[in-house]
Amino acid sequence: MPYPPQRDARPLAARQIFLRLGAIGVIVLASGAAFAYVGGWLDPQRLTPDRVVDALEANSGVHAGYRRNHAKGVCVVGHFESNGAAHALSTAALFAPGDTPIVGRLALPGGNPYAPDSSVPIRSFALRFTSSNGEQWRTGMNSMPVFPVATPEAFYEQQLAARRDPATGKPDPRRMQAFFAAHPETAAFLAWVKTAKPSASYATESYYALHAFYFIDAQGKRQPVRWRLAPVDTAPAPAAAPAHDADYLQADLQRRLAQGPLRWRLLVTLGEPGDPTNDATRQWPAERPTIDAGTVVITRSATQDEGPCRDVNYDPTVLPRGMAISDDPLLPARSAAYAASYERRTREGPPRDAAATSPSTQQEHAQ
């Protein structure tokens, strides 16, 4: 059922901003957003993948079988229609003209599978492309144009700052304010989040990979790139309204898919010398050339407890030949922490359907 737009143009007060940032807690993943130094980059006594995952659990609780970040989501299935425009820059088979199967996941940031959909203004989109030669490309994207911090240490510090005060059940705004004051690189993210509102639909969002990568052509030339997904033929959805229930995003997705496939353009921005490849808090200049590489087409959805995305680890460093990670320290850190989270949740067994076991549903069944 469509809902009328209910927008509030008033800017948020400083205290509201920090409370929102605290409530978001682990929204920045990103891409999954669980990061830690690995391979001797940082003293393992100070920071390890398990310590980062522990911090995420401390903020959201432990929900057996669920991802420690982006716990609430839905599986989607479809294909990528490559138009061949990116194949001159990358030898990856999926960029040759033709279709490649994909298994994806639309989700909310955070580790609580029962969180109301309006609790955070960010949505995420993870995809796994599987080419006919067996090679895979996995990517995790978020509906924010920049990441708040540039290093795994800063991400970990943010999780500690966002820890809930037992007396109030909320993060301490003063502690959050102190964190952001100590990290001026968060300015771009703070400017974005001041006006960000929870969208009423997954289908109308743009999703950004945030990190830089490299495309590698047949001659071995490396081209720095960033990519994003832009929705096709969808009007912007209104912000979430009080009329929406806690699980409106999945219902909206199912309604839209019943009317036909959903589509996003895969837009690849080409970096130039001097553009930062190691800092996800900084955007590249808007005038950089962009290639339309093809269309992501989603044809159906499935619950995350039984769907094909359930056992997929959307590690963004899983790349086919013709692609490579950049020097962004968050990328290998994400890989390490994702592996730690994957090991924990698979050891616990499959999750139960959050929609069927949420506190609100349980209360309804008891009445």
Side-chain angles (χ1 to χ4, degrees), residues 4-360:
Q6 296 192 13
R7 298 182 182 274
D8 186 350
R10 294 174 297 175
L12 296 175
R15 181 179 179 84
Q16 291 175 302
I17 293 170
F18 291 119
L19 282 172
R20 169 182 280 188
L21 291 167
I24 291 172
V26 293
I27 62 168
V28 293
L29 112 120
S31 35
F35 308 121
Y37 272 131
V38 294
W41 293 359
L42 193 67
D43 182 350
Q45 297 302 314
R46 293 177 56 202
L47 187 59
T48 66
D50 280 323
R51 287 191 66 190
V52 175
V53 176
D54 288 343
L56 296 174
E57 290 180 350
N59 287 346
S60 298
V62 177
H63 303 277
Y66 286 95
R67 299 165 199 262
R68 274 27 183 191
N69 196 8
H70 301 271
K72 184 179 184 181
V74 57
C75 295
V76 291
V77 176
H79 61 274
F80 172 60
E81 298 175 349
S82 173
N83 56 24
H87 206 218
L89 297 173
S90 171
T91 58
L94 66 97
F95 289 128
D99 292 356
T100 300
I102 56 177
V103 171
R105 189 170 182 271
L106 291 158
L108 295 184
N112 180 6
Y114 313 118
D117 290 349
S118 60
S119 61
V120 293
I122 296 174
R123 284 73 177 95
S124 71
F125 199 175
L127 290 171
R128 183 191 68 188
F129 302 71
T130 304
S131 299
S132 58
N133 63 5
E135 293 184 336
Q136 292 188 359
W137 174 28
R138 303 185 191 185
T139 180
M141 296 161 285
N142 290 278
S143 61
M144 58 188 184
V146 292
F147 201 74
V149 294
T151 67
E153 311 103 303
F155 177 82
Y156 181 68
E157 292 169 11
Q158 185 184 10
Q159 305 318 302
L160 298 182
R163 192 155 294 178
R164 299 179 185 276
D165 185 335
T168 64
K170 299 178 180 179
D172 183 344
R174 294 171 297 179
R175 192 167 60 224
M176 293 297 300
Q177 185 174 9
F179 168 81
F180 286 107
H183 291 274
E185 73 275 16
T186 60
F189 175 77
L190 290 174
W192 176 83
V193 83
K194 284 180 181 179
T195 58
K197 296 182 182 298
S199 168
S201 178
Y202 283 127
T204 62
E205 293 294 290
S206 292
Y207 297 93
Y208 301 82
L210 300 176
H211 308 290
F213 293 80
Y214 288 101
F215 280 2
I216 305 171
D217 68 14
Q219 288 72 46
K221 180 182 176 181
R222 295 161 65 90
Q223 167 66 54
V225 297
R226 283 176 167 170
W227 57 77
R228 70 184 188 274
L229 293 180
V232 177
D233 298 330
T234 56
H244 290 101
D245 64 24
D247 304 306
Y248 62 84
L249 286 173
Q250 185 167 342
D252 173 84
L253 181 69
Q254 292 171 334
R255 177 180 63 81
R256 290 174 182 267
L257 285 172
Q259 299 171 357
L262 302 176
R263 293 178 169 84
W264 287 262
R265 292 291 186 190
L266 176 61
L267 303 177
V268 180
T269 300
L270 309 184
E272 296 184 1
D275 291 340
T277 56
N278 63 350
D279 190 346
T281 70
R282 297 170 59 191
Q283 290 182 288
W284 289 347
E287 62 269 20
R288 293 293 181 261
T290 297
I291 293 175
D292 181 345
T295 306
V296 167
V297 182
I298 298 302
T299 56
R300 65 181 179 90
S301 67
T303 59
Q304 66 175 0
D305 59 326
E306 297 179 348
C309 73
R310 187 191 74 180
D311 298 326
V312 179
N313 175 8
Y314 287 99
D315 179 345
T317 68
V318 175
L319 303 170
R321 286 174 293 179
M323 299 177 67
I325 66 170
S326 68
D327 54 348
D328 188 332
L330 296 178
L331 284 168
R334 284 179 65 179
S335 179
Y338 279 23
S341 171
Y342 183 82
E343 181 182 4
R344 294 187 191 193
R345 68 182 179 89
T346 53
R347 186 171 60 238
E348 295 160 352
R352 291 181 295 168
D353 184 0
T357 58
S358 66
S360 60

